[in-house]
Amino acid sequence: QVQLMESGGGVVQPGGSLRLSCEASGRSFEINVMAWYRQTPGKKREVVARIDNGGSSEYADSVQGRFTISRDSAKNTVSLQMNSLKPADTAVYYCYAMTLNFNNYWGQGTQVTVSS
C-alpha cells in the first residue's frame, strides 16, 4: 500500500502562484509514475502533469509553460509549481501514484481557487 498526502492548496488571485506538494509513504519504493490530476464539479478528472522515475515529465496543453512538476525520490515527494494562475485552473487537485506493478493510488485532494 502507498499513502499520499497533499498540501499547499488555497485561494490566489489571477496571475498568482501556488505550490502543491505530495508526500508518499508506505511502499513508496514501488512507485514508478507520479502525477497531478484535477477535477471540477460535473467534469471528468483530468491529468495536469506527470513525471516518471527517470524524471521525464509531460503536461496538459492548458498548463504547459505555466506549471512545473518536480520529484524528489529521496524524500518521496512530488510538487507542482503553478504560476500565472487563471480562474480556469480552479479545481480540486489530486496527487496520483502508479507502482511498478500498475497499482494506482490517490491522495485526498486539495482545493485550489483562483479568484479576484
Side-chain angles (χ1 to χ4, degrees):
Q1 292 285 333
V2 172
Q3 295 80 43
L4 302 172
M5 179 64 70
E6 302 111 334
S7 61
V11 180
V12 64
Q13 292 186 342
S17 298
L18 277 177
R19 185 176 181 88
L20 305 182
S21 294
C22 173
E23 181 175 3
S25 59
R27 299 180 67 85
S28 55
F29 58 90
E30 296 183 346
I31 294 174
N32 180 17
V33 174
M34 297 193 78
W36 288 95
Y37 283 71
R38 66 186 181 188
Q39 188 172 24
T40 55
K43 292 190 175 181
K44 184 180 178 181
R45 193 172 295 187
E46 63 174 6
V47 62
V48 176
R50 66 190 298 275
I51 187 167
D52 65 21
N53 266 345
S56 296
S57 57
E58 297 177 356
Y59 296 90
D61 289 343
S62 59
V63 307
Q64 183 76 45
R66 299 187 298 121
F67 290 11
T68 303
I69 190 170
S70 59
R71 184 170 175 180
D72 186 334
S73 296
K75 296 181 179 180
N76 298 317
T77 59
V78 63
S79 298
L80 186 69
Q81 178 65 41
M82 305 185 292
N83 298 328
S84 302
L85 283 161
K86 306 174 181 179
D89 296 317
T90 295
V92 177
Y93 284 71
Y94 295 90
C95 181
Y96 165 85
M98 183 179 73
T99 62
L100 292 166
N101 56 353
F102 305 106
N103 289 323
N104 301 312
Y105 297 93
W106 295 91
Q108 81 285 356
T110 185
Q111 177 70 47
V112 171
T113 302
V114 184
S115 174
S116 55

